[in-house]
Amino acid sequence: MSSPFWSDVVARLDPYVPGEQPKLTNLTKLNTNENPYGPSPRVLEAIAGELGDSLRLYPDPSGTLLRQAVADYYAVAPAQVFLGNGSDEVLAHIFQALLKHDEPVLFPDITYSFYPVYCGLYQVDYQRIPLGSDYRIQVADYLCSNGGIIFPNPNAPTGILLSLPEIEWLLKKNQRSVLVVDEAYIDFGGETAVSLVGRYPNLLVTQTLSKSRSLAGLRIGFAIGDVALIEALERVKNSFNSYPLSRFAIVGGAAAFADEDYFREVCEQVVRSRETLASGLKSLGFEVLPSSANFLLATCPSRDRDAVELAARLREKGIIVRHFRQPRIEQFLRITVGTTEQNRWLLDVLAELLKQ
């Protein structure tokens, strides 16, 4: 479909396709990397406390309560924190504010598929840097002329982690453009790069409360970096939407940071389940990439089995996983780590299907 009323850029867009949110019941949903465990009870209490007459008023445009909570947690100044409506909005502002230059922005050939979408929307030139044969980011390959570098850590959809020394090595070698480290999954097994922000003014770290803090439904993302980088994001945000976070998101996000014990308990449980699931898949013959996220990227144990077909058969059994029609990973399935019961059910169903 098209229309003569469209702006020129619309027809050229290849929009991001989000993971399916099915309306069916009784499904084991392992396709969108949502946390299998609910948010902290403190979050629910904080949201309930916000119900009332104050909803007729706009929320704090600066999200001061949440901004301070993030700053305290990571031992940075509030002026080094930027908030957005999910990390996707934060990333969108980053592409427009910091990555639109004469030289191309660099990112991996297998990575978060929203990156090229933002480039299309904001008309940003880009170059894909191939992962190694082991599906790892090779930081030395990014030492070329660029208008910025961005990658997830752990990478998505591979789940493979880049070490902090490797990130710092790249920062030392690449000081003329911004390096954005997208840490949506960092809490499931990695070390955040926030500790490097004070030493490298070109480093920006983004995170989300959707995964490890079980708040995908509230849409909360943030970035931490040098004050000058944050100011650029604020200028774009306030030219787009001055009130990106609702009252519920601000108080709920702050409460999530306050409950450290619950956060750690949930992350540890997900990590234990991930390792058990990986072991179970390997016992069935799957090749499983080493993951530091809350998902696994695994390929079918037999070359005569098609990943699309296997995903369809799983769906018939009430289990949804994610498949990417993308070179190099077209025979892989991305599987969200679920509860112990969900993971066991997945393994049982796969064992049954592989016998057929």
Side-chain angles (χ1 to χ4, degrees):
M1 179 184 296
S2 63
S3 167
F5 304 114
W6 284 7
S7 299
D8 289 342
V9 69
V10 174
R12 298 194 299 270
L13 291 177
D14 187 10
Y16 175 76
V17 179
E20 182 186 4
Q21 295 290 345
K23 302 299 187 294
L24 303 174
T25 58
N26 300 320
L27 288 175
T28 299
K29 189 173 181 298
L30 303 176
N31 67 322
T32 50
N33 299 342
E34 292 143 323
N35 199 312
Y37 306 104
S40 161
R42 291 195 196 181
V43 172
L44 304 181
E45 182 180 353
I47 291 174
E50 195 65 23
L51 290 170
D53 183 66
S54 64
L55 290 182
R56 66 184 178 82
L57 303 173
Y58 285 108
D60 175 5
S62 297
T64 305
L65 180 70
L66 177 54
R67 177 179 271 190
Q68 186 66 59
V70 174
D72 290 345
Y73 188 84
Y74 288 102
V76 298
Q80 293 179 274
V81 178
F82 176 80
L83 303 176
N85 187 251
S87 62
D88 285 338
E89 183 183 78
V90 174
L91 291 168
H93 291 337
I94 289 170
F95 272 82
Q96 191 168 37
L98 301 171
L99 299 179
K100 188 174 183 179
H101 300 287
D102 292 336
E103 298 296 329
V105 61
L106 310 179
F107 49 77
D109 62 336
I110 301 173
T111 195
Y112 187 28
S113 52
F114 228 139
Y115 296 164
V117 174
Y118 291 135
C119 289
L121 178 61
Y122 298 121
Q123 300 179 51
V124 175
D125 190 19
Y126 67 92
Q127 180 181 344
R128 300 178 191 266
I129 305 297
L131 298 179
S133 58
D134 57 358
Y135 298 98
R136 296 179 181 274
I137 292 173
Q138 309 294 319
V139 290
D141 293 343
Y142 289 79
L143 300 183
C144 53
S145 180
N146 67 81
I149 300 170
I150 183 171
F151 50 74
N153 194 42
N155 193 19
T158 65
I160 298 177
L161 182 72
L162 196 64
S163 72
L164 203 58
E166 289 175 288
I167 293 173
E168 185 166 19
W169 182 90
L170 182 57
L171 282 165
K172 290 177 178 178
K173 298 289 186 179
N174 184 84
Q175 299 186 30
R176 294 186 177 181
S177 67
V178 173
L179 171 62
V180 181
V181 182
D182 180 358
E183 295 186 340
Y185 302 98
I186 195 68
D187 294 323
F188 297 110
E191 184 179 359
T192 179
V194 170
S195 61
L196 301 176
V197 164
R199 283 178 278 158
Y200 299 94
N202 63 325
L203 171 63
L204 191 70
V205 179
T206 67
Q207 290 195 17
T208 176
L209 274 67
S210 295
K211 314 299 183 182
S212 59
R213 298 185 190 271
S214 308
L215 292 178
L218 276 191
R219 313 306 302 125
I220 304 169
F222 62 91
I224 297 177
D226 185 79
V227 173
L229 300 184
I230 301 304
E231 173 62 20
L233 298 179
E234 290 287 347
R235 290 172 66 86
V236 169
K237 185 263 287 187
N238 288 323
S239 301
F240 175 76
N241 177 14
S242 295
Y243 303 98
L245 293 182
S246 71
R247 288 177 170 271
F248 297 133
I250 292 170
V251 300
F257 277 103
D259 197 346
E260 178 74 4
D261 289 343
Y262 184 86
F263 163 69
R264 294 296 174 191
E265 179 184 344
V266 166
C267 287
E268 289 169 5
Q269 179 58 51
V270 170
V271 170
R272 287 194 296 268
S273 295
R274 180 187 70 209
E275 300 311 310
T276 300
L277 178 59
S279 177
L281 289 169
K282 291 175 183 177
S283 70
L284 293 175
F286 281 82
E287 175 190 348
V288 183
L289 297 188
S291 175
S292 295
N294 69 333
F295 59 83
L296 297 170
L297 193 66
T299 190
C300 305
S302 175
R303 293 188 180 276
D304 61 357
R305 289 189 178 274
D306 181 69
V308 175
E309 178 188 359
L310 187 56
R313 296 294 302 278
L314 285 171
R315 188 184 180 90
E316 291 173 0
K317 299 290 188 177
I319 300 173
I320 304 179
V321 296
R322 189 86 186 264
H323 174 262
F324 297 91
R325 296 182 180 275
Q326 183 177 344
R328 300 182 68 187
I329 59 169
E330 65 272 4
Q331 289 305 318
F332 282 82
L333 297 176
R334 194 195 68 188
I335 303 169
T336 302
V337 176
T339 63
T340 301
E341 294 74 19
Q342 289 173 328
N343 296 337
R344 185 179 300 116
W345 172 236
L346 169 68
L347 293 171
D348 289 346
V349 171
L350 281 172
E352 175 187 336
L353 292 177
L354 293 175
K355 292 177 182 178
Q356 298 176 3

